[in-house]
Amino acid sequence: MPVRRVCCIGAGYVGGPTCSVIAYKCPEIQVTVVDISEARIKAWNSDTLPIYEPGLDKIVTQVRGKNLHFTTDVEEAIQEADLIFISVNTPTKTFGVGKGRAPDLKYIESAARKIAEVAKDPKVIVEKSTVPVKAAESISKILKHNARHIPFQVLSNPEFLAEGTAINDLFYPDRVLIGGEESEGGARAIRELSTIYEHWVPKERIITMNTWSSELSKLTANAFLAQRISSINAISAICESTGANVEEVAHAIGLDSRIGSKFLRASVGFGGSCFQKDVLNLVYICEALNLPEVAEYWHQVIAMNDYQRKRFAAKIVDCLFQTVTGKKIAIFGFAFKKDTGDTRESSSIYICKHLMDEAARVAIYDPKVEPQQIKMDLTDPAILSDPAQYDKLVTVATDPYSASEGAHAIVVCTEWDQFKALDYQRIFEGMQKPAFVFDGRLILDHQKLTEIGFQVEVIGKVIRSAPQSP
């Protein structure tokens, strides 16, 4: 039976864009996105969406109110739906067994229990959130024991979206994975979900498999990508000590067809909601399966990322004559990557933490991150032990020029394109001397900066200062 009504529980970074594209590509399907947060749903129904993603606003505007709806009426949406996506947050646990590694599945369980409570007829349930292996089995058990003998099929359909390019990733996916039960009912449910994607995705890119393989594929993909970043960052440390250039090394090895060039850009470290969480999830699974050597192998990916951030922050302090106490440091970028307002696990947070620990005054500019989000991130007890220090140490600037006025250094933490086109001569003239630029994303014209007079420090290579005029 064709799917006519879709419900998505969770209106966040995955559920909102995914269901907006489904509604756009499948005009005959009614898509309802539900969330218990009234403020979030209100934002989805406004001209200012709760998340920034290039192209998303145009899609939402075209289909909202037609076959795309945002509501807090969870029960009605569940009852009317043929297929339900579960797309809720799965943060890393902060206490208890698996603290710091295992995902917290309380929102997944809550969604499953709500479905079991209100559903009156069979549904296909699709886990869209990043979950550990066998999460679908847990959802199935909850439904089976609480749903009054209503049959359900639970599928795994992991997302592979990169923030900043999510709409393009949804329009032109490398692959769509669908994992299901190896039974007649499971095959039927897989076919129903596949039919939705076939509206715009070539059939050969829709890959079906068993549920556990689908769940593990998601974690493995992100672990491999994070591993590549940590690997090139490890090489960047060698480059800085030997005089090699990490960009030249990355280009050379990227030409090897067995390796390829993607995710070989050295930086101050990876961030975002997925990489660290998924690698730690994989570490926890290995520990639970009594595979300590495998767990330690993958944990080193996270350890190298932490090391890169600390190393970069230490370089800032060292170059500024071993002290940044009371010095103004301009932070260019707070989002974890360009073209998003998401700050989860952003390297900027940790760079600011290390600088604030040294009593530096940080002036932060980001074109998409709201001031209240910056304050929330930097007043977290894990970042700033005394939240009262925030107002003394942190300023949120409205533009990069005011952020850098009177600063001893600029630290580029996010690769926003606008940072490449700034008037650095003007910035230099307004800074303390010697004026430093620390390019943590390798995006600026380093030769031009040195010619202006900046002292330039970057990841993975040594920049020679321009000779001074007599």
Side-chain angles (χ1 to χ4, degrees), residues 99-131:
K99 172 184 176 181
R101 300 183 304 285
D104 188 339
L105 300 182
K106 62 183 178 183
Y107 302 117
I108 293 279
E109 179 177 344
S110 177
R113 291 187 181 279
K114 176 58 71 173
I115 294 169
E117 176 189 338
V118 304
K120 297 179 180 179
D121 49 26
K123 315 281 184 186
V124 175
I125 313 301
V126 183
E127 55 172 25
K128 198 70 178 171
S129 304
T130 300
V131 293

mmCIF file of all heavy atoms in Angstrom, residues 99-131:
data_model
loop_
_atom_site.group_PDB
_atom_site.id
_atom_site.type_symbol
_atom_site.label_atom_id
_atom_site.label_comp_id
_atom_site.label_asym_id
_atom_site.label_seq_id
_atom_site.Cartn_x
_atom_site.Cartn_y
_atom_site.Cartn_z
ATOM 1 N N LYS A 99 29.041 6.742 30.514
ATOM 2 C CA LYS A 99 29.207 8.196 30.556
ATOM 3 C C LYS A 99 30.351 8.649 29.641
ATOM 4 O O LYS A 99 31.433 8.098 29.655
ATOM 5 C CB LYS A 99 29.505 8.632 31.986
ATOM 6 C CG LYS A 99 29.880 10.104 32.137
ATOM 7 C CD LYS A 99 30.252 10.431 33.580
ATOM 8 C CE LYS A 99 30.712 11.882 33.707
ATOM 9 N NZ LYS A 99 31.111 12.213 35.100
ATOM 10 N N GLY A 100 30.060 9.662 28.819
ATOM 11 C CA GLY A 100 31.083 10.224 27.941
ATOM 12 C C GLY A 100 31.297 9.461 26.653
ATOM 13 O O GLY A 100 32.073 9.894 25.799
ATOM 14 N N ARG A 101 30.588 8.312 26.476
ATOM 15 C CA ARG A 101 30.779 7.509 25.260
ATOM 16 C C ARG A 101 29.452 7.028 24.682
ATOM 17 O O ARG A 101 29.204 7.198 23.496
ATOM 18 C CB ARG A 101 31.692 6.308 25.550
ATOM 19 C CG ARG A 101 33.071 6.687 26.045
ATOM 20 C CD ARG A 101 33.962 5.481 26.249
ATOM 21 N NE ARG A 101 33.398 4.495 27.153
ATOM 22 C CZ ARG A 101 33.337 4.612 28.477
ATOM 23 N NH1 ARG A 101 33.812 5.707 29.065
ATOM 24 N NH2 ARG A 101 32.820 3.667 29.235
ATOM 25 N N ALA A 102 28.638 6.413 25.505
ATOM 26 C CA ALA A 102 27.386 5.832 25.024
ATOM 27 C C ALA A 102 26.351 6.914 24.715
ATOM 28 O O ALA A 102 26.308 7.949 25.374
ATOM 29 C CB ALA A 102 26.821 4.867 26.073
ATOM 30 N N PRO A 103 25.500 6.676 23.716
ATOM 31 C CA PRO A 103 24.426 7.633 23.426
ATOM 32 C C PRO A 103 23.302 7.507 24.441
ATOM 33 O O PRO A 103 22.998 6.409 24.921
ATOM 34 C CB PRO A 103 23.963 7.223 22.029
ATOM 35 C CG PRO A 103 24.232 5.760 21.969
ATOM 36 C CD PRO A 103 25.491 5.546 22.760
ATOM 37 N N ASP A 104 22.676 8.617 24.753
ATOM 38 C CA ASP A 104 21.518 8.624 25.647
ATOM 39 C C ASP A 104 20.272 8.430 24.787
ATOM 40 O O ASP A 104 19.919 9.287 23.983
ATOM 41 C CB ASP A 104 21.453 9.957 26.396
ATOM 42 C CG ASP A 104 20.397 9.957 27.492
ATOM 43 O OD1 ASP A 104 19.482 9.121 27.420
ATOM 44 O OD2 ASP A 104 20.480 10.796 28.403
ATOM 45 N N LEU A 105 19.602 7.315 24.960
ATOM 46 C CA LEU A 105 18.469 6.953 24.102
ATOM 47 C C LEU A 105 17.114 7.263 24.736
ATOM 48 O O LEU A 105 16.086 6.735 24.294
ATOM 49 C CB LEU A 105 18.548 5.462 23.753
ATOM 50 C CG LEU A 105 19.808 5.005 23.010
ATOM 51 C CD1 LEU A 105 19.724 3.516 22.694
ATOM 52 C CD2 LEU A 105 20.008 5.806 21.737
ATOM 53 N N LYS A 106 17.087 8.136 25.727
ATOM 54 C CA LYS A 106 15.819 8.399 26.423
ATOM 55 C C LYS A 106 14.784 9.023 25.492
ATOM 56 O O LYS A 106 13.579 8.743 25.615
ATOM 57 C CB LYS A 106 16.052 9.294 27.641
ATOM 58 C CG LYS A 106 16.611 10.672 27.339
ATOM 59 C CD LYS A 106 16.876 11.439 28.643
ATOM 60 C CE LYS A 106 17.490 12.809 28.357
ATOM 61 N NZ LYS A 106 17.820 13.534 29.612
ATOM 62 N N TYR A 107 15.212 9.851 24.535
ATOM 63 C CA TYR A 107 14.248 10.467 23.622
ATOM 64 C C TYR A 107 13.742 9.457 22.589
ATOM 65 O O TYR A 107 12.578 9.514 22.176
ATOM 66 C CB TYR A 107 14.875 11.678 22.923
ATOM 67 C CG TYR A 107 15.363 12.737 23.873
ATOM 68 C CD1 TYR A 107 16.716 13.081 23.950
ATOM 69 C CD2 TYR A 107 14.486 13.390 24.730
ATOM 70 C CE1 TYR A 107 17.170 14.047 24.838
ATOM 71 C CE2 TYR A 107 14.931 14.362 25.624
ATOM 72 C CZ TYR A 107 16.281 14.676 25.669
ATOM 73 O OH TYR A 107 16.732 15.628 26.549
ATOM 74 N N ILE A 108 14.603 8.530 22.182
ATOM 75 C CA ILE A 108 14.187 7.453 21.289
ATOM 76 C C ILE A 108 13.126 6.597 21.983
ATOM 77 O O ILE A 108 12.073 6.279 21.416
ATOM 78 C CB ILE A 108 15.391 6.569 20.891
ATOM 79 C CG1 ILE A 108 16.382 7.354 20.025
ATOM 80 C CG2 ILE A 108 14.920 5.298 20.195
ATOM 81 C CD1 ILE A 108 16.029 7.453 18.571
ATOM 82 N N GLU A 109 13.413 6.220 23.226
ATOM 83 C CA GLU A 109 12.467 5.388 23.976
ATOM 84 C C GLU A 109 11.144 6.119 24.193
ATOM 85 O O GLU A 109 10.062 5.533 24.056
ATOM 86 C CB GLU A 109 13.068 4.990 25.324
ATOM 87 C CG GLU A 109 12.120 4.132 26.155
ATOM 88 C CD GLU A 109 12.717 3.671 27.474
ATOM 89 O OE1 GLU A 109 13.952 3.757 27.630
ATOM 90 O OE2 GLU A 109 11.940 3.238 28.345
ATOM 91 N N SER A 110 11.232 7.405 24.520
ATOM 92 C CA SER A 110 10.022 8.185 24.744
ATOM 93 C C SER A 110 9.160 8.235 23.481
ATOM 94 O O SER A 110 7.922 8.104 23.546
ATOM 95 C CB SER A 110 10.401 9.607 25.180
ATOM 96 O OG SER A 110 9.251 10.410 25.331
ATOM 97 N N ALA A 111 9.800 8.416 22.323
ATOM 98 C CA ALA A 111 9.056 8.451 21.055
ATOM 99 C C ALA A 111 8.398 7.102 20.784
ATOM 100 O O ALA A 111 7.227 7.039 20.368
ATOM 101 C CB ALA A 111 9.994 8.826 19.914
ATOM 102 N N ALA A 112 9.127 6.016 21.023
ATOM 103 C CA ALA A 112 8.572 4.680 20.792
ATOM 104 C C ALA A 112 7.377 4.419 21.705
ATOM 105 O O ALA A 112 6.362 3.858 21.275
ATOM 106 C CB ALA A 112 9.648 3.621 21.001
ATOM 107 N N ARG A 113 7.490 4.825 22.943
ATOM 108 C CA ARG A 113 6.387 4.615 23.879
ATOM 109 C C ARG A 113 5.165 5.458 23.508
ATOM 110 O O ARG A 113 4.018 5.020 23.683
ATOM 111 C CB ARG A 113 6.838 4.921 25.305
ATOM 112 C CG ARG A 113 7.838 3.905 25.856
ATOM 113 C CD ARG A 113 8.156 4.102 27.321
ATOM 114 N NE ARG A 113 9.128 3.118 27.784
ATOM 115 C CZ ARG A 113 8.824 1.866 28.138
ATOM 116 N NH1 ARG A 113 7.558 1.466 28.093
ATOM 117 N NH2 ARG A 113 9.761 1.036 28.539
ATOM 118 N N LYS A 114 5.395 6.656 23.012
ATOM 119 C CA LYS A 114 4.273 7.498 22.579
ATOM 120 C C LYS A 114 3.564 6.871 21.374
ATOM 121 O O LYS A 114 2.325 6.874 21.299
ATOM 122 C CB LYS A 114 4.777 8.901 22.234
ATOM 123 C CG LYS A 114 3.718 9.842 21.684
ATOM 124 C CD LYS A 114 2.546 10.023 22.654
ATOM 125 C CE LYS A 114 2.928 10.843 23.872
ATOM 126 N NZ LYS A 114 1.742 11.150 24.707
ATOM 127 N N ILE A 115 4.335 6.328 20.441
ATOM 128 C CA ILE A 115 3.734 5.649 19.291
ATOM 129 C C ILE A 115 2.894 4.463 19.758
ATOM 130 O O ILE A 115 1.748 4.269 19.322
ATOM 131 C CB ILE A 115 4.817 5.179 18.302
ATOM 132 C CG1 ILE A 115 5.520 6.383 17.667
ATOM 133 C CG2 ILE A 115 4.215 4.277 17.217
ATOM 134 C CD1 ILE A 115 6.776 6.026 16.886
ATOM 135 N N ALA A 116 3.456 3.653 20.661
ATOM 136 C CA ALA A 116 2.730 2.486 21.172
ATOM 137 C C ALA A 116 1.460 2.901 21.897
ATOM 138 O O ALA A 116 0.432 2.213 21.829
ATOM 139 C CB ALA A 116 3.639 1.693 22.115
ATOM 140 N N GLU A 117 1.498 4.038 22.557
ATOM 141 C CA GLU A 117 0.357 4.508 23.346
ATOM 142 C C GLU A 117 -0.810 4.957 22.475
ATOM 143 O O GLU A 117 -1.983 4.676 22.796
ATOM 144 C CB GLU A 117 0.804 5.664 24.241
ATOM 145 C CG GLU A 117 -0.309 6.314 25.048
ATOM 146 C CD GLU A 117 0.146 7.590 25.737
ATOM 147 O OE1 GLU A 117 1.371 7.753 25.954
ATOM 148 O OE2 GLU A 117 -0.724 8.423 26.051
ATOM 149 N N VAL A 118 -0.526 5.658 21.373
ATOM 150 C CA VAL A 118 -1.618 6.309 20.632
ATOM 151 C C VAL A 118 -1.938 5.677 19.283
ATOM 152 O O VAL A 118 -3.014 5.930 18.728
ATOM 153 C CB VAL A 118 -1.314 7.811 20.433
ATOM 154 C CG1 VAL A 118 -1.059 8.491 21.768
ATOM 155 C CG2 VAL A 118 -0.143 8.020 19.488
ATOM 156 N N ALA A 119 -1.053 4.861 18.740
ATOM 157 C CA ALA A 119 -1.313 4.260 17.416
ATOM 158 C C ALA A 119 -2.490 3.288 17.490
ATOM 159 O O ALA A 119 -2.607 2.503 18.437
ATOM 160 C CB ALA A 119 -0.075 3.556 16.903
ATOM 161 N N LYS A 120 -3.343 3.329 16.474
ATOM 162 C CA LYS A 120 -4.522 2.466 16.454
ATOM 163 C C LYS A 120 -4.494 1.456 15.317
ATOM 164 O O LYS A 120 -5.366 0.590 15.223
ATOM 165 C CB LYS A 120 -5.781 3.328 16.335
ATOM 166 C CG LYS A 120 -5.988 4.271 17.523
ATOM 167 C CD LYS A 120 -7.228 5.120 17.333
ATOM 168 C CE LYS A 120 -7.423 6.066 18.529
ATOM 169 N NZ LYS A 120 -8.625 6.929 18.356
ATOM 170 N N ASP A 121 -3.490 1.578 14.432
ATOM 171 C CA ASP A 121 -3.372 0.638 13.328
ATOM 172 C C ASP A 121 -1.901 0.456 12.985
ATOM 173 O O ASP A 121 -1.043 1.188 13.482
ATOM 174 C CB ASP A 121 -4.169 1.106 12.114
ATOM 175 C CG ASP A 121 -3.893 2.560 11.742
ATOM 176 O OD1 ASP A 121 -2.796 3.051 12.069
ATOM 177 O OD2 ASP A 121 -4.755 3.196 11.119
ATOM 178 N N PRO A 122 -1.554 -0.513 12.140
ATOM 179 C CA PRO A 122 -0.149 -0.806 11.842
ATOM 180 C C PRO A 122 0.581 0.400 11.231
ATOM 181 O O PRO A 122 0.004 1.164 10.445
ATOM 182 C CB PRO A 122 -0.238 -1.959 10.841
ATOM 183 C CG PRO A 122 -1.552 -2.607 11.131
ATOM 184 C CD PRO A 122 -2.471 -1.494 11.513
ATOM 185 N N LYS A 123 1.841 0.540 11.580
ATOM 186 C CA LYS A 123 2.686 1.625 11.066
ATOM 187 C C LYS A 123 4.063 1.072 10.697
ATOM 188 O O LYS A 123 4.521 0.062 11.241
ATOM 189 C CB LYS A 123 2.909 2.717 12.121
ATOM 190 C CG LYS A 123 1.677 3.165 12.894
ATOM 191 C CD LYS A 123 0.825 4.114 12.092
ATOM 192 C CE LYS A 123 -0.347 4.621 12.940
ATOM 193 N NZ LYS A 123 -1.290 5.441 12.128
ATOM 194 N N VAL A 124 4.736 1.783 9.814
ATOM 195 C CA VAL A 124 6.162 1.553 9.577
ATOM 196 C C VAL A 124 6.912 2.612 10.359
ATOM 197 O O VAL A 124 6.681 3.809 10.176
ATOM 198 C CB VAL A 124 6.512 1.647 8.082
ATOM 199 C CG1 VAL A 124 8.019 1.521 7.887
ATOM 200 C CG2 VAL A 124 5.780 0.571 7.288
ATOM 201 N N ILE A 125 7.803 2.187 11.242
ATOM 202 C CA ILE A 125 8.585 3.102 12.080
ATOM 203 C C ILE A 125 10.012 3.136 11.542
ATOM 204 O O ILE A 125 10.638 2.082 11.353
ATOM 205 C CB ILE A 125 8.598 2.647 13.555
ATOM 206 C CG1 ILE A 125 7.182 2.286 14.020
ATOM 207 C CG2 ILE A 125 9.229 3.712 14.428
ATOM 208 C CD1 ILE A 125 6.183 3.409 13.909
ATOM 209 N N VAL A 126 10.522 4.325 11.309
ATOM 210 C CA VAL A 126 11.850 4.472 10.704
ATOM 211 C C VAL A 126 12.752 5.257 11.654
ATOM 212 O O VAL A 126 12.470 6.413 11.976
ATOM 213 C CB VAL A 126 11.773 5.216 9.357
ATOM 214 C CG1 VAL A 126 13.152 5.294 8.719
ATOM 215 C CG2 VAL A 126 10.786 4.542 8.417
ATOM 216 N N GLU A 127 13.814 4.607 12.135
ATOM 217 C CA GLU A 127 14.765 5.320 12.985
ATOM 218 C C GLU A 127 15.685 6.132 12.083
ATOM 219 O O GLU A 127 16.411 5.598 11.251
ATOM 220 C CB GLU A 127 15.558 4.357 13.878
ATOM 221 C CG GLU A 127 16.291 3.256 13.145
ATOM 222 C CD GLU A 127 17.224 2.453 14.036
ATOM 223 O OE1 GLU A 127 16.999 2.406 15.251
ATOM 224 O OE2 GLU A 127 18.181 1.858 13.505
ATOM 225 N N LYS A 128 15.627 7.442 12.251
ATOM 226 C CA LYS A 128 16.434 8.358 11.448
ATOM 227 C C LYS A 128 17.569 8.934 12.286
ATOM 228 O O LYS A 128 18.576 9.388 11.744
ATOM 229 C CB LYS A 128 15.544 9.494 10.929
ATOM 230 C CG LYS A 128 16.116 10.256 9.752
ATOM 231 C CD LYS A 128 16.127 9.426 8.488
ATOM 232 C CE LYS A 128 16.652 10.217 7.303
ATOM 233 N NZ LYS A 128 16.866 9.382 6.120
ATOM 234 N N SER A 129 17.396 8.930 13.605
ATOM 235 C CA SER A 129 18.438 9.449 14.497
ATOM 236 C C SER A 129 19.664 8.546 14.446
ATOM 237 O O SER A 129 19.574 7.361 14.100
ATOM 238 C CB SER A 129 17.924 9.511 15.936
ATOM 239 O OG SER A 129 16.748 10.272 16.036
ATOM 240 N N THR A 130 20.819 9.117 14.798
ATOM 241 C CA THR A 130 22.028 8.302 14.915
ATOM 242 C C THR A 130 21.915 7.459 16.169
ATOM 243 O O THR A 130 21.803 7.986 17.279
ATOM 244 C CB THR A 130 23.274 9.190 14.994
ATOM 245 O OG1 THR A 130 23.352 9.969 13.802
ATOM 246 C CG2 THR A 130 24.522 8.346 15.111
ATOM 247 N N VAL A 131 21.936 6.154 16.011
ATOM 248 C CA VAL A 131 21.699 5.250 17.132
ATOM 249 C C VAL A 131 22.744 4.144 17.132
ATOM 250 O O VAL A 131 23.377 3.861 16.111
ATOM 251 C CB VAL A 131 20.286 4.620 17.042
ATOM 252 C CG1 VAL A 131 19.208 5.672 17.240
ATOM 253 C CG2 VAL A 131 20.091 3.903 15.708
#
